[in-house]
Amino acid sequence: MIRLESIRKDYGSMTAVKDLSLEIPAGEICVLLGLSGCGKSTTLRMINKLIPPSSGHIYINGKDADEYPVEKLRQSMGYVVQSIGLFPHFTVAENIATVPRLLKWDNARLDRRIREMLMMVGLDYDTYSKKYPNELSGGEAQRVGVARALAADPPILLMDEPFGAVDPLSRKHLQNEFLKIQRELKKTVIFVTHDVEEAIKLGDKIAIMNCGELQEYDTPEGLIIRCKNQFVKDFLGSEYAIRVLARFSAGGIAHERDAKSEVCVPASENLQVALSVMIERGSSSLTVTSQDGTSVGSISIGDIVDVLRNTEN
Ligand code: ADP
Ligand code: MG
């Protein structure tokens, strides 16, 4: 869906992005992860044609981005950023309507869409539609930012540290809501962050950059098994594998063998929590229960170790 071919961006003698090649399949979330200044935002800006690459090519749906008129290209990409944010003199409703208005939607359709978008991001229409950005909390403003980016239903979403400025709890909420929305809409997403935890949670694949260069590009699980790059290993941290466990549910790996352990976890609980419960309770296996409390099987420590190794793709 999006293919970068040897993209490079020079600022004078400084190279912000160096020979970056990356393929992002349709419907997936690709997280660009790296330290501040490693070239993440520059990469997004090139994809969005805010700045031209010094060399290399960007293909959208197999067609060179140069062949698309800028406006057409931008309308096919929702863009969410942390800092520029919303237009301060527009209400929430007007902010959300930005691109649909450019596309000349009629008022009835616009209003329907604004209501739909606010509902999707969990904001009440009557309370919020007429507010101005300075009357919103950081988390609310980010929700409106996401609603605005999705309003014209673009197939591509570029998100540059969108949840970076909100408190940790709101950030978790926003991440969960975004994942819920994404499961339904299946946009092709490039999501920039410097936060390893956020990358693990959201990424179908993670592209790790350093000093403008791509270091590794793999699934979160693949990075545990295949990564040989020392910079990446240090950057992800020695507890990385434990963190990746949060991506899997206990129900997903429960074996239908006799569940003997009195220590239980709900099937919806993630494996990081399951492992923590095992350690706390001094038990090397767990019974996994459904919502009504009946057993759906069991998991052992060995099953948890195996899950990270059996998710090859
Ligand atoms: P990130 O988003 O990963 O924090 P950026 O892509 O914003 O990093 O920046 C990458 C590098 O390019 C940084 O060293 C930054 O200072 C430099 N840079 C970005 N934009 C410009 C510009 N317009 N002129 C000169 N240097 C820039
Ligand atoms: Mg940046």
Side-chain angles (χ1 to χ4, degrees):
M1 173 60 153
I2 302 175
R3 190 156 62 83
L4 312 183
E5 201 180 271
S6 298
I7 291 295
R8 180 185 183 96
K9 182 68 188 176
D10 297 315
Y11 288 111
S13 60
M14 190 272 190
T15 302
V17 175
K18 193 174 172 191
D19 295 327
L20 174 62
S21 295
L22 200 60
E23 204 170 314
I24 297 114
E28 285 196 0
I29 302 177
C30 166
V31 173
L32 287 188
L33 174 66
L35 297 167
S36 178
C38 74
K40 307 180 296 295
S41 297
T42 303
T43 303
L44 279 203
R45 288 193 198 110
M46 287 191 280
I47 296 171
N48 198 231
K49 277 201 178 181
L50 286 167
I51 51 172
S54 303
S55 61
H57 291 274
I58 297 169
Y59 297 93
I60 310 288
N61 280 336
K63 192 164 128 180
D64 196 318
D66 286 343
E67 289 172 32
Y68 292 88
V70 173
E71 291 317 315
K72 193 128 199 125
L73 188 94
R74 295 226 181 111
Q75 282 159 13
S76 74
M77 299 179 182
Y79 197 23
V80 192
V81 286
Q82 176 199 122
S83 48
I84 314 170
L86 306 172
F87 303 119
H89 305 300
F90 281 6
T91 62
V92 164
E94 288 163 348
N95 265 286
I96 295 174
T98 310
V99 179
R101 246 187 235 290
L102 285 175
L103 298 174
K104 303 207 170 5
W105 290 18
D106 64 50
N107 283 340
R109 187 174 172 204
L110 270 179
D111 191 60
R112 251 196 335 269
R113 191 61 177 167
I114 292 163
R115 286 172 188 275
E116 235 172 61
M117 289 294 104
L118 282 175
M119 189 167 2
M120 188 173 76
V121 297
L123 294 175
D124 178 61
Y125 178 88
D126 292 330
T127 313
Y128 288 96
S129 63
K130 294 198 168 54
K131 286 198 177 201
Y132 285 88
N134 66 2
E135 300 170 296
L136 304 173
S137 74
E140 288 162 355
Q142 281 314 130
R143 282 163 205 241
V144 176
V146 172
R148 181 176 67 176
L150 288 170
D153 202 21
I156 296 169
L157 210 48
L158 306 177
M159 305 179 83
D160 195 345
E161 312 227 17
F163 311 142
V166 295
D167 62 89
L169 200 65
S170 306
R171 179 191 267 226
K172 268 205 174 127
H173 271 296
L174 287 164
Q175 290 167 345
N176 290 338
E177 278 167 23
F178 173 63
L179 277 178
K180 227 192 289 169
I181 292 168
Q182 168 64 4
R183 259 175 229 129
E184 220 173 282
L185 302 184
K186 298 210 170 24
K187 303 289 180 191
T188 305
V189 183
I190 307 187
F191 189 107
V192 163
T193 186
H194 59 267
D195 182 61
V196 175
E197 191 121 29
E198 186 163 68
I200 292 170
K201 183 159 181 178
L202 301 182
D204 292 306
K205 291 213 185 75
I206 303 176
I208 297 150
M209 294 176 69
N210 185 35
C211 300
E213 286 188 83
L214 181 67
Q215 304 292 312
E216 289 277 346
Y217 182 44
D218 209 330
T219 60
E221 302 82 57
L223 285 170
I224 299 172
I225 304 159
R226 287 183 283 267
C227 175
K228 301 274 187 290
N229 180 314
Q230 197 55 45
F231 168 83
V232 172
K233 282 173 183 273
D234 292 342
F235 181 78
L236 294 177
S238 43
E239 75 289 10
Y240 176 74
I242 300 271
R243 288 173 147 191
V244 173
L245 285 177
R247 288 175 60 87
F248 299 90
S249 70
I253 65 158
H255 286 268
E256 281 185 30
R257 59 190 168 222
D258 242 8
K260 294 192 198 78
S261 177
E262 283 172 17
V263 185
C264 299
V265 289
S268 58
E269 198 52 272
N270 77 54
L271 288 185
Q272 199 180 58
V273 173
L275 182 61
S276 184
V277 169
M278 285 178 178
I279 295 166
E280 259 174 50
R281 302 286 301 272
S283 174
S284 57
S285 67
L286 289 175
T287 299
V288 179
T289 56
S290 63
Q291 261 178 348
D292 61 12
T294 56
S295 163
V296 295
S298 75
I299 55 179
S300 67
I301 295 250
D303 296 333
I304 292 181
V305 172
D306 287 343
V307 75
L308 297 174
R309 311 211 147 254
N310 293 340
T311 49
E312 293 291 273
N313 59 12

mmCIF file of all heavy atoms in Angstrom, residues 36-37 40-42 45 160-161 192, ligand 2:
data_model
loop_
_atom_site.group_PDB
_atom_site.id
_atom_site.type_symbol
_atom_site.label_atom_id
_atom_site.label_comp_id
_atom_site.label_asym_id
_atom_site.label_seq_id
_atom_site.Cartn_x
_atom_site.Cartn_y
_atom_site.Cartn_z
ATOM 1 N N SER A 36 14.410 10.957 19.749
ATOM 2 C CA SER A 36 14.147 12.270 19.200
ATOM 3 C C SER A 36 15.258 12.648 18.221
ATOM 4 O O SER A 36 16.429 12.436 18.504
ATOM 5 C CB SER A 36 14.076 13.260 20.359
ATOM 6 O OG SER A 36 13.875 14.532 19.853
ATOM 7 N N GLY A 37 14.853 13.156 17.052
ATOM 8 C CA GLY A 37 15.841 13.600 16.073
ATOM 9 C C GLY A 37 16.304 12.528 15.104
ATOM 10 O O GLY A 37 17.155 12.783 14.251
ATOM 11 N N LYS A 40 11.965 10.539 12.209
ATOM 12 C CA LYS A 40 10.610 10.008 12.109
ATOM 13 C C LYS A 40 9.644 11.023 11.485
ATOM 14 O O LYS A 40 8.936 10.707 10.523
ATOM 15 C CB LYS A 40 10.088 9.591 13.507
ATOM 16 C CG LYS A 40 11.021 8.652 14.256
ATOM 17 C CD LYS A 40 10.484 8.277 15.620
ATOM 18 C CE LYS A 40 10.339 9.404 16.619
ATOM 19 N NZ LYS A 40 11.618 10.033 17.036
ATOM 20 N N SER A 41 9.627 12.228 12.044
ATOM 21 C CA SER A 41 8.689 13.235 11.527
ATOM 22 C C SER A 41 9.034 13.613 10.094
ATOM 23 O O SER A 41 8.138 13.825 9.260
ATOM 24 C CB SER A 41 8.712 14.490 12.400
ATOM 25 O OG SER A 41 8.278 14.179 13.699
ATOM 26 N N THR A 42 10.327 13.693 9.821
ATOM 27 C CA THR A 42 10.761 14.011 8.454
ATOM 28 C C THR A 42 10.209 12.972 7.474
ATOM 29 O O THR A 42 9.746 13.315 6.384
ATOM 30 C CB THR A 42 12.307 14.039 8.395
ATOM 31 O OG1 THR A 42 12.774 14.990 9.346
ATOM 32 C CG2 THR A 42 12.805 14.405 7.011
ATOM 33 N N ARG A 45 6.530 13.602 6.931
ATOM 34 C CA ARG A 45 6.317 14.811 6.121
ATOM 35 C C ARG A 45 6.601 14.548 4.650
ATOM 36 O O ARG A 45 5.945 15.107 3.773
ATOM 37 C CB ARG A 45 7.210 15.950 6.629
ATOM 38 C CG ARG A 45 6.735 16.493 7.949
ATOM 39 C CD ARG A 45 7.405 17.812 8.290
ATOM 40 N NE ARG A 45 7.255 18.061 9.707
ATOM 41 C CZ ARG A 45 8.254 18.009 10.591
ATOM 42 N NH1 ARG A 45 9.488 17.792 10.183
ATOM 43 N NH2 ARG A 45 8.027 18.210 11.865
ATOM 44 N N ASP A 160 1.724 11.416 14.109
ATOM 45 C CA ASP A 160 3.038 11.799 14.619
ATOM 46 C C ASP A 160 2.968 12.080 16.113
ATOM 47 O O ASP A 160 2.549 13.158 16.524
ATOM 48 C CB ASP A 160 3.542 13.032 13.855
ATOM 49 C CG ASP A 160 5.034 13.260 14.077
ATOM 50 O OD1 ASP A 160 5.595 12.659 15.018
ATOM 51 O OD2 ASP A 160 5.627 14.043 13.316
ATOM 52 N N GLU A 161 3.373 11.123 16.910
ATOM 53 C CA GLU A 161 3.324 11.213 18.372
ATOM 54 C C GLU A 161 1.983 11.795 18.825
ATOM 55 O O GLU A 161 1.942 12.750 19.616
ATOM 56 C CB GLU A 161 4.484 12.072 18.904
ATOM 57 C CG GLU A 161 5.821 11.670 18.297
ATOM 58 C CD GLU A 161 6.929 11.510 19.320
ATOM 59 O OE1 GLU A 161 6.643 11.399 20.514
ATOM 60 O OE2 GLU A 161 8.091 11.440 18.893
ATOM 61 N N VAL A 192 4.059 7.342 14.569
ATOM 62 C CA VAL A 192 5.383 7.699 15.085
ATOM 63 C C VAL A 192 5.364 7.791 16.607
ATOM 64 O O VAL A 192 4.459 8.397 17.185
ATOM 65 C CB VAL A 192 5.816 9.060 14.498
ATOM 66 C CG1 VAL A 192 6.966 9.661 15.300
ATOM 67 C CG2 VAL A 192 6.208 8.923 13.039
HETATM 68 MG MG MG B 2 9.201 14.200 15.481
#
